[in-house]
Amino acid sequence: LSVSRTGQIEVNRQTVQLDEVAGAVKRLLPPDGNVVVAADAGAPNGRVVEAMLQARQGGAGHFLIAVRRDQP
């Protein structure tokens, strides 16, 4: 699950609308599966939370937050 700086949502690298997230997650995950969340640092926080709530409705059991370390 990724959310871009502009608020665009992708599930498995496919662009989806917010109301499509639950269905997309349900098709891809086993019940209580893990969802990796990769949000751009500039992504609207509310949009990220909304996408995660929709993923939860689609059966996501746990969320793993992807982080990128800054290069020295």
Side-chain angles (χ1 to χ4, degrees):
L1 175 67
S2 64
V3 181
S4 72
R5 179 179 302 271
T6 62
Q8 179 177 315
I9 300 170
E10 292 183 355
V11 174
N12 203 32
R13 297 192 174 122
Q14 298 295 315
T15 301
V16 296
Q17 298 301 312
L18 182 61
D19 63 353
E20 298 172 320
V21 172
V25 168
K26 190 171 190 168
R27 286 189 297 276
L28 292 169
L29 284 185
D32 291 326
N34 295 331
V35 171
V36 176
V37 178
D40 186 285
N45 291 335
R47 186 74 165 171
V48 176
V49 172
E50 290 173 331
M52 291 174 68
L53 290 171
Q54 287 294 315
R56 174 77 73 194
Q57 287 183 348
H62 301 279
F63 294 96
L64 308 167
I65 308 299
V67 296
R68 183 183 68 191
R69 294 181 187 213
D70 290 335
Q71 298 296 321

